Amino acid sequence: MKARALALLPALFASVAAWAAPRETVSLDGAWEVRIDPADETAKAHPKEAQWFPARVPGSVQQDLIAAGRVPDPFKGINEARIQWAGLTSWQFRRVIEVTPAMLARDHVELVFDGLDTFASVSLNGKQLLAADNAHRRWRVDAKGVLKTGRNELIVRIASPIRTLQPMVLAEANPLPGEYDSAFGDEPKGKQTSPYIRKPKYQYSWDWGPRLVNIGVWRPVRIEAWDEARIDGFRVDQEALNDAEARLVAHWRIVAGAPANVTLRARVTGPDGKQVEVSRSASLVAGENWVSAPLTVEKPQRWWPAGYGAQPLYAVEATLDAGGATEDRVIQRIGLRTTEFIRKDGSFGFRINGVPIFAKGANLIPFDNFPSRVGEAQMRQILTSARDANMNMIRVWGGGYYLDDAFYRTADEMGLMIWQDFMFGGSITPPDAAFRENVRVEAEEQVERLQPHPSVVGWAGGNEVLSGWENWSDRKAFKKRIGADEQERIGTGMAVLFDRVLREAVTKNAPGTPYWPGSPSSDYEGPTDTDKDGDRHFWDVWSGSKPVERYLDSCPRFMSEYGFQGMPDLSTIRGFAGKGPLAIDSPVLKAHQKFLAGEGNARLQLYLDQRLRKPKDFADLVYLTQVNQAQAIDMAARHHRGCRPVTLGSLYWQLNDTWPAISWASVDYEGQWKLLHYAARRFFAPQAIVAEHKDGATRVALVSDATTPIAAEWRVRAFDMAGKALRTRGAVVTLEPLGAQEAASIADAELFAGADAKASFAVAELLIDGRSVSRTIVERALPKDMAYPAPALITRWEGKRVTITAGSLARAVMLDFGDLAAQPSDDGFDLLAGESVTIDVGSDASAAALKRALTLRTLGPQR
């Protein structure tokens, strides 16, 4: 091929002198080329793709195929099957580099790949330099001896992960139990390759996402050139923190090409602009060198979770000087805080700066099935949605990938605590030492990268690996098949991995940050996934088809997973399903419902039949599934908060989607809030009322996250459906700090005065300074059995602001804009007779279009 056929990289380091100079970096991101590896038999079936065509790095071949129009978008319609061949094929990626003599004059010239997915070999000018086997690691290799002046050809060959591992797996009599079987026949059921590879597991499909087994150079690539030495790693450890001072230690890891004398400096700049600096001279040896220096910040400002204080951040600049000039520098932001687990008699929770924090939040799955197209704006939008819903914690779930630095920077700024899983999604891990060593390198690299972020308040070994091994029926059957010796070998391998390798990675690289062996876990102190000890994943509701009232049966120590599905916004559905008629069992909706291999919509229907009225059309069906989801999680989350201090956290499943889907998310793939997310803003409010009707009485509990007492008032008012007041109960109280307190248990006869259970309801409210800060409806019958009146809603528009007034009780009011994407400032709320609410509507659509499109939906009689 002629050199002009590629966009050549601009001449590198043309102005760099031959003597020592700062480390310089040249990005190799952008335009590449890709083709099917000529050795792959798939080339015969896809001759067009056997020729070079445009690619983008970072990215994946699947994205390149979509961009070139070679395959349809798998997120649309029922196209997922038509792209599966790409993950079963081996590919070559190519980039041409123009190199100058000045570049080759540097002492060291290295290629650095931040992510290769996954079985990759890297060749430069026909010589193989690197073989990679872990998508979660950075790969660095010396390239100077192979580079030449002028044109250089860089080739990255990436093998199909399935085809690479499948011969070994098929030869196993008892392959390791994995996660989700393929729906496309490329792997026999029960014989999955994913347990054996270090690659984002969700790409093999999950019960909320498609099967898109990405292949590509998925993170940035660059050339780094340096002379005497470079900073290979840097961190600031916090040895002590009090009101007077923060005692810190700066640690440099320096790689030197030869013995050298250098000066290391670290400067810390506080939020107020005050600086403290330390310098240290060091004599380096060739290879790796560790150098440390203490420094003290006076009157430190602590970083606090959202709702508990501010989030001051300190800027840190570390430099390496040689010969009077700076050769390398690292810039970080850190926060000063202490974090520890609360562990006593089975309890589990988080204590930040000595304050026990009730964790309010959700589980985060990957932002997209194609990670390289996730920008900072998308991550910020989701985290802003979490903060605006009064969340203070996000669990980064272990079946995806370690997120970009921008995610953690944003969490630092917003005060969102991050529970960070290592990337293990549920499959049983290989017991061999080579696998653990690969993971050790990955873990130490990732912990070191994320160590500066104060938002990362704890690490966990992964998701449901240990609890699955202990409790799941398929794992028990597997253990029986393989016998005691092999069971011991695999179990011991997991214990070494999760209790030693990963724990040591955190202890060594992020001292002061606690580690938890997995989720759920009891830290090897007893049975896993119980209410009595550690964190809990509760799926009797939804997966087990149990009534939502089962959420009220117990008080877990920390509920780290529970969930209930609801359909996404109708505008999102139309984006992937088109404009045609739709029903709950439409093929396109089943294709975007991954629970029970596409049959999960039947579970939606089961719970609709149990709890709510029948929908009048498809748009009403979407509404009702969202109401069911919001009410179920509202019930659970309020209950968890009312169980404090027994319960110290409530993280529902899940915050977001990786593609447009019917799922457990509260924010859909297009960023639209479901009714659940609006409900989360209410049930996660800093002060909240819990009102649970059970066994002929209403339990009232009051919750406050404040660190000081608050004067308040609670009241429960009963009404009939005509709006007539029946009875009122309440009291003036002082809300206890950081806790939940029982306020009353009110018998039905006392509150409802003998009114028909189906024709009456109560409103429970918490008031502070005379203002209602939390409100919830109490009903004694299922919503489908309630005799709701016609709500008689009236609207008045002013631009994109609408005021809604109710003539009678209006339950779960939803502003439905149909195919138009619109974000109301509130939604899914209740209005009593005569009440009004004013809503701002965010949308690219005009005010007139919004007014025309609006349908108000409620649980009451439908017109």
Side-chain angles (χ1 to χ4, degrees):
M1 188 205 74
K2 295 182 179 179
R4 69 173 69 96
L6 277 177
L8 299 181
L9 189 69
L12 302 180
F13 302 100
S15 62
V16 177
W19 56 83
R23 170 162 55 163
E24 294 203 28
T25 299
V26 175
S27 172
L28 299 183
D29 296 348
W32 287 52
E33 290 185 321
V34 64
R35 70 177 180 184
I36 295 175
D37 190 320
D40 194 302
E41 293 183 358
T42 309
K44 299 176 183 177
H46 299 276
K48 191 175 181 182
E49 286 70 41
Q51 306 300 315
W52 294 110
F53 63 96
R56 299 291 298 179
V57 168
S60 67
V61 73
Q62 284 87 346
Q63 292 167 261
D64 300 329
L65 290 165
I66 295 167
R70 308 290 181 90
V71 296
D73 187 342
F75 284 18
K76 304 289 187 181
I78 55 174
N79 292 332
E80 183 186 351
R82 298 176 63 185
I83 200 172
Q84 295 305 310
W85 66 272
L88 300 169
T89 302
S90 297
W91 298 86
Q92 293 182 347
F93 295 81
R94 179 172 66 176
R95 177 79 185 242
V96 169
I97 308 168
E98 281 288 323
V99 176
T100 66
M103 176 183 180
L104 293 180
R106 301 301 298 267
D107 289 350
H108 304 273
V109 183
E110 297 172 331
L111 276 170
V112 183
F113 295 85
D114 284 340
L116 293 167
D117 194 0
T118 294
F119 293 123
S121 63
V122 176
S123 298
L124 185 61
N125 296 328
K127 181 177 180 180
Q128 181 172 329
L129 299 182
L130 171 67
D133 61 353
N134 187 329
H136 301 301
R137 284 176 55 180
R138 175 181 296 124
W139 300 90
R140 178 186 294 270
V141 63
D142 180 17
K144 180 176 179 180
V146 183
L147 287 168
K148 60 185 180 182
T149 301
R151 182 181 184 278
N152 294 258
E153 185 177 67
L154 177 63
I155 299 285
V156 179
R157 296 173 173 85
I158 304 183
S160 163
I162 296 172
R163 294 289 187 242
T164 298
L165 292 170
Q166 202 162 52
M168 176 195 70
V169 174
L170 294 180
E172 289 280 347
N174 294 293
L176 293 173
E179 287 114 354
Y180 289 88
D181 286 321
S182 173
F184 301 101
D186 51 324
E187 292 188 303
K189 293 188 183 303
K191 291 184 177 290
Q192 300 172 16
T193 56
S194 64
Y196 300 88
I197 191 173
R198 294 307 297 146
K199 174 181 174 63
K201 298 305 182 71
Y202 78 109
Q203 295 178 359
Y204 291 86
S205 77
W206 219 267
D207 57 2
W208 36 254
R211 187 174 176 89
L212 294 168
V213 184
N214 288 359
I215 290 177
V217 183
W218 76 289
R219 286 203 183 278
V221 186
R222 60 191 174 276
I223 290 178
E224 292 187 1
W226 53 282
D227 293 314
E228 283 94 347
R230 62 176 173 83
I231 301 174
D232 192 52
F234 175 80
R235 74 170 193 263
V236 176
D237 290 347
Q238 178 183 286
E239 289 198 331
L241 177 65
N242 55 51
D243 291 342
E245 64 179 13
R247 294 200 301 273
L248 310 177
V249 179
H251 299 278
W252 290 260
R253 184 175 65 250
I254 307 297
V255 172
N261 294 317
V262 299
T263 300
L264 303 173
R265 291 187 174 86
R267 179 186 298 117
V268 178
T269 304
D272 55 3
K274 293 182 179 179
Q275 294 184 336
V276 58
E277 183 174 328
V278 65
S279 63
R280 172 84 182 271
S281 297
S283 296
L284 306 180
V285 299
E288 186 176 274
N289 300 259
W290 280 94
V291 183
S292 300
L295 66 161
T296 299
V297 174
E298 296 182 352
K299 296 181 180 179
Q301 299 183 46
R302 286 178 171 86
W303 181 95
W304 286 96
Y308 292 85
Q311 292 78 45
L313 297 170
Y314 289 75
V316 180
E317 182 181 31
T319 60
L320 183 157
D321 296 348
T326 297
E327 286 206 21
D328 205 358
R329 73 179 67 238
V330 172
I331 297 174
Q332 296 178 346
R333 288 192 317 178
I334 64 171
L336 304 177
R337 55 96 179 101
T338 61
T339 174
E340 58 184 315
F341 288 150
I342 299 170
R343 288 292 284 157
K344 183 180 180 181
D345 301 327
S347 63
F348 177 76
F350 290 81
R351 185 180 287 114
I352 308 298
N353 297 325
V355 177
I357 308 292
F358 188 98
K360 305 180 299 184
N363 290 263
L364 182 96
I365 62 174
F367 291 94
D368 198 293
N369 277 86
F370 301 122
S372 62
R373 69 183 184 187
V374 176
E376 184 171 354
Q378 183 180 353
M379 293 186 285
R380 181 171 289 273
Q381 188 267 338
I382 291 293
L383 290 179
T384 300
S385 293
R387 181 200 61 192
D388 291 350
N390 290 309
M391 296 184 188
N392 59 28
M393 175 172 277
I394 301 297
R395 175 187 170 221
V396 178
W397 168 80
Y401 57 93
Y402 304 95
L403 297 170
D404 293 347
D405 291 329
F407 170 84
Y408 301 95
R409 288 197 300 267
T410 304
D412 294 342
E413 296 165 6
M414 292 185 179
L416 289 170
M417 298 182 289
I418 301 299
W419 164 323
Q420 177 67 51
D421 278 3
F422 284 102
M423 290 301 119
F424 292 91
S427 62
I428 302 305
T429 55
D432 55 283
F435 179 86
R436 291 195 298 274
E437 175 61 17
N438 197 349
V439 171
R440 182 195 64 79
V441 177
E442 164 198 323
E444 293 194 355
E445 176 184 305
Q446 295 294 346
V447 174
E448 181 184 78
R449 178 174 70 91
L450 301 185
Q451 182 269 346
H453 297 284
S455 57
V456 181
V457 298
W459 282 84
N463 176 74
E464 296 182 349
V465 180
L466 302 176
S467 60
W469 180 249
E470 183 176 318
N471 299 323
W472 294 358
S473 59
D474 69 323
R475 271 53 170 170
K476 291 179 179 179
F478 172 78
K479 288 187 282 189
K480 186 177 180 179
R481 288 196 306 271
I482 62 177
D485 289 346
E486 185 65 5
Q487 177 181 331
E488 176 69 16
R489 189 173 78 94
I490 293 173
T492 300
M494 286 193 291
V496 172
L497 176 62
F498 292 104
D499 194 33
R500 186 186 304 167
V501 173
L502 297 181
R503 191 186 300 272
E504 289 178 357
V506 176
T507 302
K508 173 183 174 183
N509 296 282
T513 301
Y515 171 78
W516 196 237
S519 183
S521 174
S522 61
D523 202 7
Y524 299 98
E525 294 180 3
T528 60
D529 205 11
T530 71
D531 289 332
K532 295 181 180 180
D533 192 358
D535 68 312
R536 181 92 160 91
H537 291 189
F538 183 80
W539 286 104
D540 286 6
V541 177
W542 185 262
S543 294
S545 301
K546 299 296 190 296
V548 296
E549 289 75 19
R550 287 289 294 272
Y551 285 133
L552 307 180
D553 288 350
S554 64
C555 291
R557 296 299 193 163
F558 191 110
M559 188 68 87
S560 50
E561 272 194 31
Y562 63 102
F564 199 97
Q565 279 199 0
M567 288 190 175
D569 191 79
L570 185 57
S571 65
T572 298
I573 293 174
R574 287 301 180 188
F576 71 77
K579 301 295 185 181
L582 292 171
I584 197 168
D585 58 352
S586 294
V588 68
L589 293 183
K590 293 177 71 172
H592 287 253
Q593 162 66 273
K594 294 300 182 180
F595 179 65
L596 295 180
E599 298 302 325
N601 289 340
R603 190 64 48 87
L604 283 174
Q605 188 66 60
L606 180 147
Y607 278 106
L608 288 178
D609 293 343
Q610 281 186 8
R611 303 193 71 254
L612 300 182
R613 62 168 173 78
K614 293 189 179 298
K616 69 172 185 176
D617 55 26
F618 182 75
D620 199 41
L621 172 72
V622 172
Y623 160 71
L624 291 173
T625 67
Q626 289 202 20
V627 170
N628 233 3
Q629 180 187 35
Q631 290 186 348
I633 302 304
D634 184 295
M635 179 185 297
R638 287 183 193 265
H639 178 71
H640 298 153
R641 297 190 71 190
C643 285
R644 186 172 182 173
V646 173
T647 303
L648 291 175
S650 182
L651 308 179
Y652 67 76
W653 187 272
Q654 66 209 52
L655 178 59
N656 62 313
D657 272 326
T658 68
W659 76 319
I662 301 167
S663 79
W664 298 266
S666 61
V667 180
D668 74 24
Y669 177 74
E670 299 297 341
Q672 295 286 113
W673 286 23
K674 298 184 189 178
L675 296 187
L676 168 56
H677 208 78
Y678 293 97
R681 188 165 59 191
R682 296 187 278 271
F683 60 66
F684 281 152
Q687 285 74 45
I689 191 165
V690 179
E692 298 173 353
H693 186 269
K694 189 176 183 181
D695 300 328
T698 299
R699 173 208 175 211
V700 179
L702 309 175
V703 178
S704 177
D705 292 334
T707 57
T708 57
I710 297 176
E713 177 187 357
W714 69 268
R715 69 187 182 195
V716 180
R717 297 177 291 159
F719 300 89
D720 66 17
M721 288 301 176
K724 176 185 175 183
L726 300 175
R727 288 180 178 171
T728 299
R729 293 292 181 267
V732 173
V733 297
T734 298
L735 297 181
E736 299 172 1
L738 300 172
Q741 62 203 82
E742 296 293 320
S745 178
I746 312 171
D748 287 351
E750 180 185 353
L751 181 61
F752 291 99
D756 184 350
K758 298 179 181 179
S760 60
F761 65 99
V763 181
E765 288 183 289
L766 178 64
L767 299 97
I768 297 175
D769 294 331
R771 181 177 63 89
S772 177
V773 298
S774 180
R775 184 168 93 165
T776 187
I777 298 290
V778 179
E779 294 172 331
R780 293 178 286 160
L782 290 171
K784 69 176 183 179
D785 296 324
M786 295 295 291
Y788 296 126
L793 296 173
I794 299 172
T795 60
R796 185 179 74 254
W797 284 88
E798 294 181 13
K800 292 186 179 182
R801 174 174 294 176
V802 59
T803 298
I804 304 169
T805 303
S808 300
L809 172 67
R811 282 286 274 135
V813 179
M814 179 184 188
L815 288 76
D816 184 354
F817 294 94
D819 296 357
L820 291 183
Q823 191 78 76
S825 57
D826 198 7
D827 215 352
F829 47 82
D830 302 310
L831 291 175
L832 305 183
E835 287 187 336
S836 297
V837 64
T838 298
I839 305 295
D840 292 309
V841 182
S843 178
D844 292 335
S846 68
L850 291 171
K851 183 177 180 180
R852 288 193 303 270
L854 176 62
T855 298
L856 292 177
R857 301 189 184 279
T858 76
L859 291 181
Q862 300 298 292
R863 291 180 293 179

